[in-house]
Amino acid sequence: MTIGWKHLVAALASILIGGIVIAWLGVIDIRASSGHWRATDWFLHFVMRSSVRTSAIGVEVPDLGNPAYLPLAAGHYEAACADCHGSPERGRSPAVLAMLPPPPDLKGVVREWSDAELFQIVRHGVRYTGMPAWPTANRDDEVWAMVAFLRRYPEIDAKAYHRLRGAREPTSAAEPDERVEGCDACHASMRLDGSSLIPRLNGQSETYLVESLEAFRDGRRSSGIMQTAVAALDDTDIAGLAKVYADRPMEDRRTAQPPALVVSGDAARKIPACSTCHDKPGLNPAFPKLSGLSRNYIRNQLKLFVAGARGGTAYRELMYRAVRSLTEQDIEALAEHYGR
């Protein structure tokens, strides 16, 4: 008997129909309480590890040695990751351990992955588990900050983690407003310096703060960290927080001698002077003050604008046009001037 293509098609159709019938009969056990067969568990992990390994090929790993990555990522880890993976301050709950598969304690597994593989897992999540993708698709800088934090994670003890995530010390007075205390965990001026990737909010106008927080909450400004932090805020919360930070004094960190781009811009390259819109009395309150921010934050935000990845208020198009001719040297000079 000669086996032709019609026989193969019929065999495949029979297998497909048979599989559907078996699924319809309900004899495939999907109860999490019984766990996976050992062979199933091995196969699923084999597929996952193989997929992550292949997807990480060609990923260019940046310098992860910047210590400013750690507090930026630690606050988000506490808010979005610790409930499932535990932290140096708390273990995983019985409910989490009953998940299938249970989220791993990262202290025990993070060394099994390369930096590029961790990037793939954090950025894209893992299907058929509880591991979600990063909340926004165009903030690889934030994902790399989390990778830098995870690389150090096995060495971080409870005391260091407590400090990195900005938790209130037991001996300090409680902030009467829990929302402000939550924001201060990252944004308190005393925790930040010129190298911080987290912005100081003190002294910004209420208008700018309200519009920025609404842009994060409504998804018009991309940040996996901030979108998670403000997701539950309503308009009243946002207005209250904006007033608190607007009423606090701003520390002017500018150098005495501004670069030419700040004062006069560069007409040949169609770059307007920064001082046209920033840090002068009487300007549009929707424009941020740059004089109290850190150099690392300003550098990162300018790069996001140049890349077209910095959303925000209705004025973002002005910044896209203003920065599109900036060079790396321009960005460094501006960052050093405003956030020394």
Side-chain angles (χ1 to χ4, degrees):
M1 176 181 174
T2 301
I3 299 177
W5 66 270
K6 292 183 179 178
H7 295 91
L8 292 175
V9 170
L12 290 173
S14 298
I15 292 173
L16 177 61
I17 293 171
I20 293 173
V21 170
I22 291 172
W24 178 79
L25 289 173
V27 297
I28 299 175
D29 188 1
I30 54 87
R31 294 173 295 184
S33 59
S34 59
H36 288 309
W37 292 340
R38 184 168 295 182
T40 305
D41 186 70
W42 173 85
F43 181 73
L44 292 175
H45 279 86
F46 172 73
V47 171
M48 187 269 281
R49 288 181 177 278
S50 299
S51 176
V52 172
R53 178 202 63 217
T54 300
S55 65
I57 294 174
V59 172
E60 187 174 345
V61 180
D63 178 10
L64 301 180
N66 186 350
Y69 283 148
L70 302 184
L72 178 68
H76 183 72
Y77 183 91
E78 176 63 20
C81 311
D83 284 345
C84 287
H85 292 292
S87 79
E89 291 184 300
R90 55 186 167 118
R92 295 166 292 169
S93 70
V96 165
L97 293 174
M99 294 172 64
L100 186 68
D105 180 344
L106 299 183
K107 277 187 178 291
V109 301
V110 75
R111 290 193 177 98
E112 298 176 7
W113 303 96
S114 70
D115 293 337
E117 290 169 339
L118 285 175
F119 175 83
Q120 290 295 318
I121 294 172
V122 174
R123 189 179 192 281
H124 299 287
V126 180
R127 286 184 187 177
Y128 312 123
T129 73
M131 178 66 191
W134 195 254
T136 185
N138 61 349
R139 289 300 304 270
D140 286 357
D141 57 310
E142 293 183 336
V143 178
W144 282 119
M146 181 57 74
V147 173
F149 171 79
L150 293 176
R151 184 54 64 209
R152 296 281 301 277
Y153 185 70
E155 307 158 9
I156 297 174
D157 60 20
K159 184 176 180 181
Y161 178 76
H162 189 86
R163 174 176 50 80
L164 283 172
R165 70 181 181 86
R168 180 172 55 85
E169 296 299 329
T171 54
S172 60
E175 165 63 48
D177 188 328
E178 291 184 356
R179 298 164 304 174
V180 177
E181 184 171 309
C183 297
D184 275 349
C186 292
H187 294 282
S189 184
M190 68 184 69
R191 301 190 66 239
L192 307 175
D193 57 29
S195 66
S196 298
L197 286 164
I198 300 169
R200 290 184 181 83
L201 306 181
N202 292 1
Q204 295 288 354
S205 74
E206 286 185 55
T207 300
Y208 172 72
L209 292 170
V210 166
E211 292 193 4
S212 296
L213 290 172
E214 289 179 344
F216 282 125
R217 184 193 61 187
D218 300 340
R220 290 178 282 111
R221 180 171 171 182
S222 296
S223 168
I225 294 172
M226 279 304 297
Q227 287 175 235
T228 301
V230 304
L233 297 182
D234 60 25
D235 290 347
T236 302
D237 296 330
I238 287 175
L241 289 169
K243 181 169 184 5
V244 168
Y245 284 100
D247 287 346
R248 291 179 178 178
M250 171 179 281
E251 179 187 1
D252 192 337
R253 303 176 63 85
R254 288 175 291 183
T255 58
Q257 297 297 323
L261 284 178
V262 172
V263 179
S264 54
D266 186 334
R269 292 190 289 156
K270 298 182 179 179
I271 301 174
C274 303
S275 58
T276 305
C277 297
H278 300 284
D279 297 289
K280 282 199 307 190
L283 296 176
N284 187 334
F287 297 158
K289 300 170 186 173
L290 307 182
S291 54
L293 301 173
S294 73
R295 59 182 176 277
N296 268 350
Y297 178 77
I298 289 176
R299 181 187 299 114
N300 193 44
Q301 297 302 303
L302 286 174
K303 289 182 176 180
L304 289 172
F305 272 119
V306 170
R310 171 61 153 76
T313 70
Y315 301 102
R316 61 184 181 276
E317 295 295 335
L318 293 177
M319 274 300 291
Y320 288 153
R321 291 195 292 273
V323 305
R324 59 189 172 192
S325 297
L326 290 181
T327 65
E328 287 282 342
Q329 291 74 23
D330 295 331
I331 291 174
E332 287 301 318
L334 294 173
E336 286 298 323
H337 167 64
Y338 282 110
R340 59 175 173 169

